[in-house]
């Protein structure tokens, strides 16, 4: 029976320094050969010291000395590490029990009870590691900027981090609330008809939810939710991450509205910037003001061609008196307008050509074929009327 118990028992006489009984060999328990030097016979007692970890040897020696001096206590248990034959370390506990004393009270029989606690120590280390990881994880979750919740399968919030408590307006009262407490009826219908079925089917859902605060105000939460599963793969709860994007959506809507206003204003300005003025039957004028870019040049071309087709005009006057600058792109656009007009049987008169503009056109080397140029709008109109009169005479 003694040999079958998991503990290692060793009875020795500390006065005569000899071993009286051992249920199993310490050397064998540690993987050493029974006759290995330093571990057999009486020296086996010293193995508790010689094989101890360097950091534990002093305590191991003190325990043996106390036992030999009769100072051992049945309740005094020491844990330390012993080196095994393969070089690894095992944790053991050792307790000294005085079984018999002589007439002078000195111990003559001391039993050492040794238990291998390596598995327990490993478990303690793993538990400490897990506790540290959980502590770090909880700290990270509690201090995350996004709101984080854990909800039971019955729909009750069992955990909410600091961010969610603040953004939801519920504070510490968020824990224990049901899902219906966070949503207006129409929003809860979305949760019931879209989110929860997707979670049960796919295990995850992402989207935007309108969430209600206790004071009735609502905020838009960009949500990422997933199902939490247990060891057997069964769903045990639902976790969700929330980010308040109310201001972001408001800003985007305001920006979009501003863009629509700007686009409408630009369209109105383009229309104002390309007015068509009927001068006489068959003669139209388009005074141009400001800057002409590629987009506006295309609009001028489209507006003028449509007018030539609708009004059956024979002469179109483009007045560039108000154009800020004429570069190669503007000159090329004017040439395209003239060429397109001629295909419709109309002539284009370019008026308002100032000396600086003329010099720029010459420097650019632009060939203005198909364009009649005039210095002023008045001279352009006069030319157009004469051109119309000659065509009517013919």
């Amino acid at each position: 029976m003694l040999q079958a118990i998991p503990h290692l028992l060793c009875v020795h006489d500390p006065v005569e320094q000899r071993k009286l009984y051992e249920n199993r060999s310490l050397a064998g328990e540690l993987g050493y050969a029974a006759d290995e030097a330093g571990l057999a016979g009486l020296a086996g007692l010293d193995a508790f010291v010689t094989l101890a970890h360097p950091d534990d040897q002093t305590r191991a020696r003190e325990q043996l000395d106390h036992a030999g001096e009769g100072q051992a206590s049945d309740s005094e248990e020491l844990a330390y590490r012993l080196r095994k034959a393969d070089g690894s370390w095992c944790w053991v506990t050792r307790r000294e029990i005085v079984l018999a004393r002589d007439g002078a009270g000195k111990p003559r029989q001391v039993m050492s009870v040794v238990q291998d606690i390596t598995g327990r120590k490993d478990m303690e280390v793993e538990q400490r590691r897990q506790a540290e990881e959980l502590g770090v994880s909880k700290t990270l979750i509690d201090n995350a900027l996004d709101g984080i919740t854990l909800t039971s399968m019955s729909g009750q919030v069992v955990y909410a981090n600091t961010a969610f408590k603040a953004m939801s307006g519920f504070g510490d009262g968020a824990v224990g609330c049901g899902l219906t407490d966070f949503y207006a009826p129409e929003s809860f219908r979305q949760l019931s008809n879209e989110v929860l079925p997707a979670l049960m089917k796919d295990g995850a859902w992402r989207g935007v939810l309108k969430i209600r605060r206790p004071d009735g105000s609502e905020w838009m939460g960009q949500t990422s939710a997933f199902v939490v599963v247990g060891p057997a793969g069964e769903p045990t709860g639902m976790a969700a991450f929330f980010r308040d994007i109310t201001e972001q959506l408001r800003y985007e809507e305001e920006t979009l509205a501003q863009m629509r206003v700007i686009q409408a204003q630009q369209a109105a300005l383009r229309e104002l910037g390309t007015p068509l003025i009927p001068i006489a039957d068959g003669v139209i004028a388009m005074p141009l003001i400001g800057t002409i870019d590629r987009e506006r040049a295309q609009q001028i071309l489209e507006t003028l061609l449509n007018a030539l087709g609708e009004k059956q005009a024979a002469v179109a006057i483009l007045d560039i008196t108000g154009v800020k600058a004429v570069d190669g792109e503007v000159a090329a656009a004017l040439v395209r307008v003239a060429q397109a007009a001629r295909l419709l049987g109309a002539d284009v008169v370019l008026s308002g050509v100032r000396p600086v503009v003329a010099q720029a056109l010459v420097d650019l080397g632009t060939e203005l074929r198909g364009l009649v140029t005039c210095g002023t709008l008045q001279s352009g109109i006069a030319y157009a009327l004469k051109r119309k009169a000659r065509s009517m005479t013919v």
Side-chain angles (χ1 to χ4, degrees):
M1 290 177 61
L2 291 175
Q3 291 180 349
I5 63 176
H7 297 61
L8 179 65
L9 303 178
C10 179
V11 181
H12 67 280
D13 183 342
V15 176
E16 297 182 6
Q17 292 288 304
R18 62 189 181 90
K19 189 184 303 182
L20 303 177
Y21 172 79
E22 187 176 56
N23 67 337
R24 290 191 304 277
S25 167
L26 173 64
E29 292 293 303
L30 298 177
Y32 295 96
D35 58 349
E36 192 164 345
L39 296 177
L42 181 62
L45 297 175
D46 292 332
F48 288 106
V49 177
T50 58
L51 296 180
H53 191 279
D55 296 339
D56 302 331
Q57 285 184 356
T58 300
R59 293 185 295 120
R61 171 58 66 186
E62 289 176 351
Q63 187 185 42
L64 281 176
D65 292 344
H66 288 167
E69 296 168 1
Q71 301 177 13
S73 171
D74 293 356
S75 61
E76 182 181 352
E77 188 175 73
L78 180 66
Y80 52 89
R81 290 156 288 184
L82 293 178
R83 187 178 70 251
K84 300 175 70 173
D86 60 6
S88 62
W89 297 94
C90 68
W91 277 94
V92 299
T93 59
R94 180 173 174 176
R95 185 157 52 97
E96 306 293 341
I97 303 173
V98 177
L99 300 180
R101 299 176 183 268
D102 60 15
K106 288 188 176 182
R108 295 304 304 267
Q109 293 182 8
V110 178
M111 181 173 68
S112 300
V113 182
V114 180
Q115 181 182 5
D116 189 339
I117 61 168
T118 305
R120 190 175 78 190
K121 282 290 186 179
D122 291 343
M123 185 178 296
E124 291 175 356
V125 171
E126 177 62 19
Q127 289 174 341
R128 283 197 299 271
R129 185 190 66 79
Q130 292 178 354
E132 291 173 357
E133 289 183 353
L134 287 174
V136 172
S137 299
K138 188 176 185 305
T139 301
L140 291 174
I141 292 172
D142 285 340
N143 291 278
L145 295 178
D146 291 340
I148 302 174
T149 62
L150 183 62
T151 307
S152 67
M153 294 304 294
S154 62
Q156 185 181 45
V157 176
V158 297
Y159 170 80
N161 73 337
T162 304
F164 183 83
K165 292 176 181 178
M167 69 176 60
S168 68
F170 281 82
D172 292 336
V175 177
C177 288
L179 291 178
T180 54
D181 297 321
F182 295 96
Y183 301 93
E186 62 276 8
S187 299
F188 187 75
R189 280 194 293 272
Q190 179 194 5
L191 187 74
S192 302
N193 299 333
E194 177 186 345
V195 181
L196 295 179
L199 282 174
M200 296 301 101
K201 178 183 177 182
D202 304 324
W205 180 87
R206 288 185 178 182
V208 177
L209 293 172
K210 183 184 290 185
I211 307 171
R212 184 176 60 183
R213 297 186 178 92
D215 61 6
S217 63
E218 293 182 319
W219 54 285
M220 304 303 293
Q222 184 176 345
T223 308
S224 176
F226 59 93
V227 174
V228 180
V229 298
E234 76 284 3
T236 60
M238 297 170 286
F241 294 80
F242 298 90
R243 178 170 297 177
D244 187 349
I245 59 172
T246 308
E247 292 301 320
Q248 176 185 335
L249 292 178
R250 182 180 294 117
Y251 173 77
E252 291 176 355
E253 290 175 358
E254 292 175 352
T255 301
L256 185 60
Q258 291 174 354
M259 290 179 60
R260 291 195 186 103
V261 171
I262 292 172
Q263 290 172 352
Q265 291 174 343
Q266 289 177 341
L269 289 174
R270 285 195 295 267
E271 291 179 2
L272 293 174
T274 54
L276 278 172
I277 303 174
I279 302 300
D281 188 21
V283 178
I284 58 176
M286 181 183 286
L288 304 177
I289 301 173
T291 302
I292 299 178
D293 55 15
R294 185 179 304 234
E295 182 179 354
R296 191 179 176 198
Q298 182 63 29
Q299 184 187 16
I300 292 170
L301 176 60
E302 293 175 358
T303 302
L304 186 59
L305 293 182
N306 289 335
L308 291 175
E310 292 174 1
K311 302 182 180 299
Q312 299 296 312
V315 182
I317 304 171
L318 293 179
D319 183 64
I320 61 172
T321 304
V323 176
K324 293 181 179 179
V326 176
D327 56 14
E329 188 173 354
V330 174
L334 296 174
V335 171
R336 288 198 304 273
V337 170
Q339 292 172 343
R342 291 181 69 85
L343 291 175
L344 296 178
D347 291 331
V348 175
V349 178
L350 184 65
S351 65
V353 180
R354 293 161 291 162
V356 64
V357 174
Q359 183 63 47
L361 293 174
V362 171
D363 292 342
L364 291 170
T366 305
E367 185 177 355
L368 303 177
R369 286 184 301 176
L371 276 172
V372 176
T373 59
C374 298
T376 64
L377 177 59
Q378 292 85 348
S379 61
I381 293 174
Y383 171 83
L385 294 176
K386 290 180 182 178
R387 168 72 175 77
K388 179 178 177 296
R390 284 198 303 271
S391 63
M392 292 179 62
T393 302
V394 175

